[in-house]
Every structure is written in C-alpha cells, then in structure tokens.
Amino acid sequence: MITRSPALLQRHDEAEPLALPPAWQAQLAGAIRDPAELCRRLGLDPAWRPGAEAGHGLFEVRVPEAFLARMRPGDPTDPLLRQVLPLGEELLPTPGYVADPLEEAAHTPAKGLIHKYRGRVLLITSPACAVNCRYCFRRHFPYAENAPSRAQWESSLDHLRRDPTIVEAILSGGDPLAASDRQLAWLVERLAAIPHLRRLRIHTRLPVMIPDRIDAALLDWLGSTRLQKVVVLHINHAQEIDDAVIDACARLRAAGVTLLNQSVLLRGVNDSVDALAALSERLFEAGVLPYYLHVLDPVAGAAHFDVPDEEARELVAGLREVLPGFLMPRLVREIPGEGSKTPL
Ligand SMILES: *Cc1c(COP(=O)(O)O)cnc(C)c1O
Ligand code: SF4
C-alpha cells in the first residue's frame, strides 16, 4: 500500500491530477549509496570499511534494499554482497585490464547506439542502473555523454529505419528499465512502427533488483507491442531469486515475454559446479532459461573476479554432467572486432 503525504493529497485535489511516482522509483532513489552504510547494515567488521570507501571513489556503491534483504548479514563472503561491495583490490592496476575492454567506443554510429552484430542493434536506453556491479564492463563507460535525449533517439531510430538488415532492437544500458514507462512507451511505439523490425529485446537487472519494477504501467506498453519480446535478465547466483523475483518473472511471461538469463562467471560468487547448477535449476523454477555464461571482460578494477579459461571450461564440463542440456548456459567471451560472442 502506498502512503501519501498530506502535501501530495492536497495537490492531488487541485485541478491537475498529480500522478504519484511509481513505487519502484522510490526504491530506486532509496538505494544504498554509502559504502559505510552498506558495511554497517550488513554488520561487517570495520576492517572492510577502508577498502569499500576506496573502491567507491572509483565507481560508486549502489544497492537497492530489496537486494540487500537477500544477503546473509555478517558474512563478507556472501555471493550477493561480493557483487556489490567495493574492495581495495579495485585500485590495483593489472596488466591487460583496461577502461573499455570491448572497444565499444569504436562502434557507435549514432550516440547511444552500438551496432556491432548483424541484424541486432543495441540502444543505450538509460544511463542509470538499479545496482552497481563491481565487475561491470561498463564501469568506466562515459554515461553522462551517452545519456539519451529525444534528438539522440531520433538519430538512433533513423539508423534503424535506414538499415533493413536490422531485425532486432536491444534495449541496454545502464539498465533500460531505469527509464520511465512514459519514455519507454514512446520509444517502443516508434520501434514497432519500423516495418523490418521483428524483435524487441531488453537486457535488464531491474526485475531482480527491484521486482516491483514489473508493474501495470510497464506491462501496459510491453504487453501491447506487436514486436516479439525477449527479456534477458542478469542473475549470477541462485540466492538472488526470491519469491518476489519469481512473481515478477511470472508477470513478464503472462505478458508474452520469453525470459532468458545471462550470468558472468565470477570468482567467489559462482565459480563452482554446485553454484552454477543451483542457479540453472532455480532459474527454471522462475520460468527462465539460461542463455550466456560470460567470462569476465578485462575491465580495470575487476581482476580479482577473474576465473581462468581452463578452469571455466572444466566447470562447464562438470556442469554438463549434472544438468539437462536445456539448462546449460553457453560459455562465451566477447572479443573486440568479432561478429558475435565467441564460444570458449
Ligand atoms: C552481446 C551483444 C549483442 C547481442 O548478442 P547475442 O549473441 O544476439 O545475444 C548485440 N550487440 C552488442 C553490441 C552486444 O554486445
Ligand atoms: S546492472 Fe548491468 S550495466 Fe548495471 S552495473 Fe550491473 S552489470 Fe553493469
């Protein structure tokens, strides 16, 4: 239930009806942004504070309450916490780990648009994320320069209109679902008007971070578009999937969405056959099929998450012995200049 402040109620009674901001936006705005608070809330030993503050200086902390609630208090090795807690290690320069490991800067024909693969175009739809993942390959991405404006949308849309080989628009980010439903409805309506476009794909972590994001306003524009719909979630550990996430997935499926998941293989998070098998099983309980298991992109500040290729292959071989084929993610790497993700 939403509680309204008296001030809001008063304004609501005036001539212009004032729409309340949706519940998810308040949760987004209320995410933890202070490394000391993150440590305190989880009851971590004060020894973790200096590293958290130092890493935060490079890439700020952001953790929504709904995600925090799924972590084990007092456990610095918690697989969810490890994805979001800054560590002093992030400051160690590591050879081969760079700011733009995928060389995306070279593939932006219009600002906010990345066209690297045939048939598919990626639109940076929102610069914001619901969570800041420490291993993110876009942790150094100049989002401020790529924050979309209407004029920018128009030039991205023109690029899509002019190229009939493009059949799929991928909304990415940041997190595209951090944009408002009004903006998203505007964009998707224009995409659907491009005759050669068949599919709308959304790469998002929001249904996992803030399951309330999948509300009536979102289901309205998403459920009504003529485009075929795919939502690729990003979940790295079974513990991320609680009942609220399962319910959000059910709402998306009821709107005609095919649900897939991509994960990143991360040291200390999911680098065991047991963890990966439990993730696939849990995803299927939520009606989600595993899609990709990415090896870490060599982004500066994330080297401590790396799992060497040889070990990654062994893990996947072990996984194949315990899972049915349809629950096997494809182990891939992104190599700049290649026309697709590269299977390992
Ligand atoms: C990963 C990616 C895609 C989508 O690739 P699929 O193999 O179709 O999932 C599209 N464009 C860019 C720039 C990408 O990085
Ligand atoms: S949600 Fe995705 S884009 Fe955002 S920080 Fe995490 S990995 Fe990066």
Side-chain angles (χ1 to χ4, degrees):
M1 186 168 125
I2 300 164
T3 33
R4 293 173 173 185
S5 74
L8 274 177
L9 276 175
Q10 228 169 15
R11 290 208 37 206
H12 196 87
D13 290 337
E14 288 165 20
E16 275 286 297
L18 180 78
L20 282 172
W24 67 267
Q25 278 183 348
Q27 294 179 47
L28 193 65
I32 293 171
R33 308 276 289 274
D34 173 6
E37 188 189 349
L38 179 62
C39 294
R40 196 169 52 242
R41 291 282 306 279
L42 284 166
L44 295 187
D45 188 289
W48 292 90
R49 279 270 298 270
E53 307 266 5
H56 172 76
L58 295 175
F59 180 48
E60 69 167 18
V61 162
R62 188 187 294 263
V63 188
E65 292 284 345
F67 194 59
L68 187 90
R70 290 168 232 160
M71 298 176 191
R72 293 186 297 264
D75 182 359
T77 69
D78 180 89
L80 277 53
L81 175 62
R82 190 165 161 81
Q83 297 177 51
V84 298
L85 177 69
L87 300 178
E89 280 103 309
E90 293 180 22
L91 280 71
L92 300 173
T94 311
Y97 285 74
V98 298
D100 179 14
L102 308 185
E103 296 171 16
E104 288 188 330
H107 296 273
T108 49
K111 253 193 185 169
L113 182 145
I114 304 171
H115 192 179
K116 282 210 294 204
Y117 300 161
R118 190 183 159 85
R120 290 147 290 171
V121 160
L122 198 143
L123 300 166
I124 305 286
T125 310
S126 159
C129 281
V131 61
N132 282 346
C133 311
R134 307 316 299 176
Y135 54 84
C136 181
F137 72 91
R138 295 213 176 101
R139 54 179 284 159
H140 306 279
F141 191 79
Y143 280 118
E145 295 161 31
N146 283 269
S149 62
R150 277 284 161 96
Q152 199 174 300
W153 285 131
E154 293 296 355
S155 78
S156 292
L157 286 163
D158 275 344
H159 180 85
L160 271 78
R161 287 182 191 114
R162 277 196 305 266
D163 184 347
T165 69
I166 299 171
V167 295
E168 180 170 326
I170 305 177
L171 308 189
S172 184
D175 196 310
L177 296 187
S180 72
D181 290 309
R182 194 173 45 79
Q183 286 172 306
L184 290 164
W186 181 93
L187 177 63
V188 168
E189 193 182 315
R190 274 149 191 82
L191 289 171
I194 301 173
H196 52 264
L197 212 61
R198 295 205 288 267
R199 287 188 296 276
L200 172 70
R201 191 192 322 182
I202 301 176
H203 283 185
T204 177
R205 229 183 164 194
L206 248 156
V208 184
M209 292 298 140
I210 302 178
D212 286 345
R213 177 67 186 93
I214 310 306
D215 61 7
L218 177 140
L219 295 168
D220 189 34
W221 59 262
L222 188 59
S224 61
T225 180
R226 72 158 181 94
L227 298 166
Q228 286 195 291
K229 302 166 279 278
V230 181
V231 168
V232 181
L233 299 170
H234 172 180
I235 302 174
N236 298 314
H237 194 278
Q239 192 183 315
E240 293 176 47
I241 305 174
D242 65 1
D243 289 347
V245 173
I246 289 189
D247 289 348
C249 290
R251 293 195 289 280
L252 286 168
R253 278 185 298 135
V257 175
T258 297
L259 287 175
L260 303 174
N261 182 64
Q262 52 184 344
S263 311
V264 183
L265 183 58
L266 298 167
R267 177 68 79 211
V269 175
N270 56 13
D271 55 336
S272 71
V273 171
D274 284 352
L276 292 170
L279 172 60
S280 275
E281 295 281 1
R282 187 73 177 143
L283 284 167
F284 194 65
E285 283 170 16
V288 184
L289 284 174
Y291 180 38
Y292 281 142
L293 176 62
H294 297 266
V295 295
L296 186 76
D297 296 308
V299 65
H304 55 288
F305 283 113
D306 187 52
V307 177
D309 283 2
E310 195 47 40
E311 191 180 335
R313 286 196 194 91
E314 279 166 19
L315 282 170
V316 168
L319 199 57
R320 197 165 281 121
E321 287 177 13
V322 298
L323 285 180
F326 64 90
L327 290 186
M328 283 296 296
R330 302 154 180 81
L331 181 68
V332 291
R333 147 165 301 127
E334 195 158 337
I335 301 174
E338 297 286 312
S340 71
K341 309 274 188 267
T342 305
L344 245 73

